[in-house]
Amino acid sequence: MDKRSIIFFDIDGTLLTHDKELPPLTKESIFKLKRFGHEVAIATGRAPFMFEDLRKELDIHTFVSYNGQYVVLNGEVLSTNPLNSPSLEKLTETALQNNHPVVYMDHKDMKANVPEHTYIAESISTLKIEHFPTFDPNYYKDRDLYQTLLFCQVGEEKQYEEMFQDFDFVRWHPLSVDVIPKGGSKAKGIEQIVNKLSIPDDRHYAFGDGLNDIEMLTTVKNSVAMGNAVDQVKKVAKFVTRSVEENGITHGLQMVGLL
C-alpha cells in the first residue's frame, strides 16, 4: 500500500534562515524524508531562477513558484498562470507617472523598466541572490510574465489595488510588493501537484512563515508554522514549531510524526 506523504516547504524564513543559510539539520531531515519514500516539494514566492542552487542541493524537482503561477512536477512544467498583458501595460504607465519602478519576471529572468533605483537595490539585496535585474523597459512585451515587482512605500500600493482588479498585490518588503494574477496562490499550485500524484489529503504537509503562506497553511491538512512566523500565520496553522534558526523544520517533522 502506498504510504507516501508529500511535504511542501516555503524557502525564506522556513528552509533558509534570515541570513539565507540552510541549516545542516534541515538538509539532513529533507534527505531522510526522501529515503523514507516521501515526496518533497518547494512552495515559494520566488522565481524558479532564484532557487536553482537550493533545488540542486536538496535534489528537489517539484515546486510551486511565483506563489502558484509557475508549477513544476518532477522537472516538467505542470501549469502556468501569466499576468494579463493589457493590464500590465497600464500598470507600467501608471507606475512611471508615479516614479515607481517595476521589475518584470518570467521563468528565466527579471528585467527593470529603469536603469537603476535605490528601492530596487535595497529590496533585492535582502534576498541575497546572485541575480539582479538589468534594464529592459520592453521586457513585458510579447512574453508571458508570472510576476511583477512594484516598488513603492507602504500604503502607496492602495491606488494600484483600486485600479487593477485582475491583480493581487502582496507586500514582501517595505519598498516592494509582488504583483500576481488575481486569486493566484501557493494553495492553487499545490492542488495541481497533489491531484496528479493522487496522495490523499491526510498525507499533505506544508511549512511556512509569511503572509503569502496563509492560504497554503489554511488549505493543506497538516500545516506547520515556523516559530519565527508572523502571528496571523501561527493562528491558521495546525502546528507551530521552533524558529528556522532553532532547527524548526526537523522539530516540526518530528511533531507531525514524519521523522
Side-chain angles (χ1 to χ4, degrees):
M1 187 176 171
D2 187 356
K3 287 288 186 184
R4 282 183 308 164
S5 292
I6 184 162
I7 307 98
F8 293 89
F9 295 99
D10 169 55
I11 295 179
D12 301 288
T14 301
L15 285 176
L16 299 184
T17 66
H18 178 72
D19 294 324
K20 307 305 176 192
E21 292 174 350
L22 178 69
L25 205 53
T26 295
K27 182 175 179 178
E28 187 183 312
S29 298
I30 297 291
F31 279 97
K32 265 189 191 172
L33 288 174
K34 292 158 80 70
R35 282 200 302 275
F36 292 162
H38 298 308
E39 297 282 343
V40 179
I42 284 172
T44 181
R46 287 190 180 212
F49 57 83
M50 287 183 176
F51 61 104
E52 201 170 350
D53 290 346
L54 182 64
R55 295 201 305 274
K56 284 178 182 171
E57 186 174 358
L58 295 176
D59 194 29
I60 290 176
H61 309 283
T62 295
F63 61 86
V64 173
S65 62
Y66 284 134
N67 288 320
Q69 316 321 311
Y70 194 87
V71 180
V72 169
L73 174 61
N74 296 322
E76 300 291 327
V77 178
L78 181 60
S79 72
T80 61
N81 184 29
L83 291 159
N84 178 279
S85 295
S87 294
L88 183 57
E89 188 162 2
K90 285 179 188 168
L91 183 141
T92 296
E93 291 168 4
T94 306
L96 280 170
Q97 290 166 8
N98 293 329
N99 194 26
H100 291 155
V102 296
V103 166
Y104 309 110
M105 307 175 79
D106 63 6
H107 60 296
K108 291 181 177 177
D109 208 349
M110 58 179 172
K111 301 288 185 180
N113 73 333
V114 294
E116 58 183 33
H117 197 284
T118 53
Y119 286 10
I120 297 177
E122 195 173 322
S123 53
I124 297 290
S125 67
T126 64
L127 296 173
K128 299 192 178 178
I129 54 174
E130 290 180 4
H131 292 83
F132 193 83
T134 51
F135 177 53
D136 184 351
N138 296 314
Y139 199 69
Y140 68 94
K141 296 178 179 177
D142 303 319
R143 75 179 73 237
D144 284 342
L145 297 172
Y146 305 104
Q147 181 170 286
T148 290
L149 302 180
L150 171 67
F151 296 85
C152 60
Q153 293 188 20
V154 175
E156 291 182 327
E157 70 273 22
K158 295 295 180 190
Q159 60 170 306
Y160 297 95
E161 291 171 352
E162 291 167 7
M163 288 178 69
F164 299 98
Q165 302 298 314
D166 47 0
F167 294 152
D168 280 335
F169 296 83
V170 184
R171 185 163 289 280
W172 65 275
H173 185 275
L175 298 175
S176 184
V177 293
D178 293 336
V179 184
I180 60 173
K182 189 77 173 177
S185 71
K186 292 183 182 182
K188 289 189 176 172
I190 286 171
E191 186 181 7
Q192 306 262 4
I193 290 172
V194 296
N195 285 347
K196 275 281 184 188
L197 293 177
S198 301
I199 297 174
D201 61 4
D202 62 335
R203 295 209 291 275
H204 300 170
Y205 297 81
F207 286 70
D209 73 301
L211 296 176
N212 65 337
D213 294 317
I214 286 177
E215 193 165 348
M216 170 176 79
L217 297 178
T218 307
T219 307
V220 173
K221 190 144 194 181
N222 302 291
S223 55
V224 185
M226 303 300 290
N228 48 276
V230 294
D231 286 343
Q232 298 102 300
V233 174
K234 289 178 179 175
K235 282 176 187 170
V236 302
K238 193 172 180 181
F239 304 94
V240 178
T241 182
R242 297 172 186 161
S243 74
V244 58
E245 278 87 1
E246 299 171 309
N247 295 310
I249 292 294
T250 302
H251 180 69
L253 290 169
Q254 291 167 343
M255 280 175 68
V256 300
L258 286 171
L259 288 184

